[in-house]
Amino acid sequence: MSSLDLALQRALSVRLNLQISLSQLAIVEEWMDIHLDRWLEHLPMPPDMPDAQAVTYLAMLASDLRRVWWGAWGDPRGFVPKMADYFKLCNIAKSDAALLDQIGEQLEPKLAGSWIGVWGGKVTTGWHFWDPHPWSVVESMFGTHEAKYQLKKWVEDHQIERIERFTQSIGDVAFSEVELALPGATSDEQVTALDAAFTAFTGAPLEPALVAGLRAIDVPQFALSARIRGGKISRLGALIPGIAIDDVQRLCGDAKVPVDPRLPKLVGALGEGISRIEYGRAGDRAGVDVYLEPTDAATRAPEQASSQAN
């Protein structure tokens, strides 16, 4: 079997595994299936990608299983035509399409893609760029509002020169989101900056037990995400390097966030390792999201077969 055939087989299997996972999630209502399937159908397959480059997939499950998110990205030459067709079927507003074109021209991303999520009884979708871009260029894209000046001050105070990711939703009450790497060469320094960011942007620091737990993660790859809606920062996220599922459950306890007992099983069925964790705060609500790279559904087949009786 050729490398292209193997890549195609894997891509189909990853999609199947994502679809299978939906049956275990009560938040995904029947009417939502068509939207999630449409998104999957409009991802480029290996033959669509330049030089058969890989597509990167990422899936998220909330610790309480009340949110799910799927994202994919890769070379824009493979993704943009598929995204255009997908957003047409989503009846994208002319203003949303113009914003995508404008920001795409300004940033000229090397990694672009789309995403879809279910939370709050709704399906939300949009696009994202997954390569770094200078803050000076990104800043010029924002209008004059409170969130811009808050971010500008924080970025300048901490001498941050670029964003790591840009995300945009489409539809009513759309939001933008930027990811910023945290200053500091050690986990301790980055967690200190993270705690200070939550105080600055939300008015309250992180839980002391959560801070202590984060300092114990000796991988200095923490980051901050800021979601902007209506000119204000509506949600702040602490992005945490991947840890074991048992540690995720302890982290949720430290953050005083609920965990559904089915989470470990669902995470294990969907992927082989946790890529990152996000502790998010929006107003008086907080949650923990688990991100992982979905894997080949075929690797789960022996487990299903062994459960047959007689």
Side-chain angles (χ1 to χ4, degrees):
M1 187 177 292
S2 70
S3 59
L4 181 60
D5 289 337
L6 288 170
L8 186 60
Q9 186 181 63
R10 180 184 180 278
L12 289 169
S13 192
V14 165
R15 295 184 188 197
L16 177 61
N17 201 15
L18 287 170
Q19 289 174 312
I20 290 172
S21 71
L22 296 179
S23 64
Q24 306 296 318
L25 299 170
I27 59 159
V28 180
E29 301 173 31
E30 188 174 350
W31 67 268
M32 299 173 176
D33 288 345
I34 189 172
H35 298 280
L36 292 157
D37 287 343
R38 178 190 297 156
W39 180 81
L40 283 170
E41 290 164 2
H42 285 83
L43 295 179
M45 297 297 282
D48 302 319
M49 297 296 288
D51 305 318
Q53 292 179 36
V55 170
T56 300
Y57 299 90
L58 196 65
M60 179 274 280
L61 290 172
S63 66
D64 58 3
L65 302 185
R66 297 181 66 85
R67 293 177 302 283
V68 61
W69 176 97
W70 297 343
W73 62 91
D75 191 308
R77 292 173 293 172
F79 261 90
V80 169
K82 293 288 188 179
M83 288 166 60
D85 291 342
Y86 169 65
F87 289 134
K88 281 180 185 177
L89 290 175
C90 294
N91 296 317
I92 187 172
K94 289 184 178 179
S95 57
D96 284 336
L99 182 65
L100 172 54
D101 290 342
Q102 175 193 341
I103 295 179
E105 290 175 4
Q106 286 181 282
L107 297 184
E108 297 182 342
K110 293 181 175 59
L111 294 172
S114 60
W115 59 270
I116 190 166
V118 174
W119 53 77
K122 297 179 181 179
V123 177
T124 304
T125 192
W127 47 272
H128 46 198
F129 299 155
W130 275 80
D131 52 327
H133 296 279
W135 165 253
S136 58
V137 177
V138 175
E139 180 195 349
S140 67
M141 300 186 320
F142 290 120
T144 303
H145 49 58
E146 176 186 339
K148 173 181 176 177
Y149 293 117
Q150 282 183 296
L151 273 174
K152 178 180 172 66
K153 183 180 187 309
W154 196 84
V155 164
E156 290 177 350
D157 287 349
H158 292 83
Q159 299 180 326
I160 293 172
E161 297 180 351
R162 71 184 200 184
I163 68 163
E164 307 300 317
R165 166 181 56 87
F166 183 89
T167 296
Q168 180 70 39
S169 70
I170 65 171
D172 297 335
V173 201
F175 64 79
S176 305
E177 187 170 288
V178 294
E179 177 180 330
L180 303 164
L182 288 163
T186 66
S187 294
D188 195 59
E189 291 171 343
Q190 291 183 359
V191 172
T192 296
L194 193 59
D195 192 29
F198 269 77
T199 300
F201 289 114
T202 73
L206 298 171
E207 291 286 341
L210 176 58
V211 172
L214 296 181
R215 291 189 192 281
I217 301 173
D218 193 21
V219 181
Q221 294 175 3
F222 292 85
L224 183 75
S225 67
R227 181 172 298 178
I228 301 167
R229 195 196 305 263
K232 297 184 181 297
I233 294 178
S234 61
R235 180 182 183 276
L236 200 70
L239 292 160
I240 302 156
I243 52 178
I245 189 64
D246 290 345
D247 294 324
V248 172
Q249 293 175 290
R250 280 193 289 272
L251 183 148
C252 290
D254 293 340
K256 300 180 179 178
V257 168
V259 181
D260 189 292
R262 294 173 295 164
L263 179 68
K265 181 179 179 180
L266 291 176
V267 166
L270 192 54
E272 292 182 348
I274 296 171
S275 302
R276 67 195 323 192
I277 308 296
E278 183 170 22
Y279 167 79
R281 185 185 293 168
D284 59 356
R285 302 186 309 277
V288 169
D289 297 329
V290 180
Y291 288 86
L292 61 154
E293 185 175 346
T295 53
D296 193 329
T299 62
R300 271 77 191 166
E303 294 179 7
Q304 295 169 357
S306 66
S307 64
Q308 296 176 352
N310 300 325

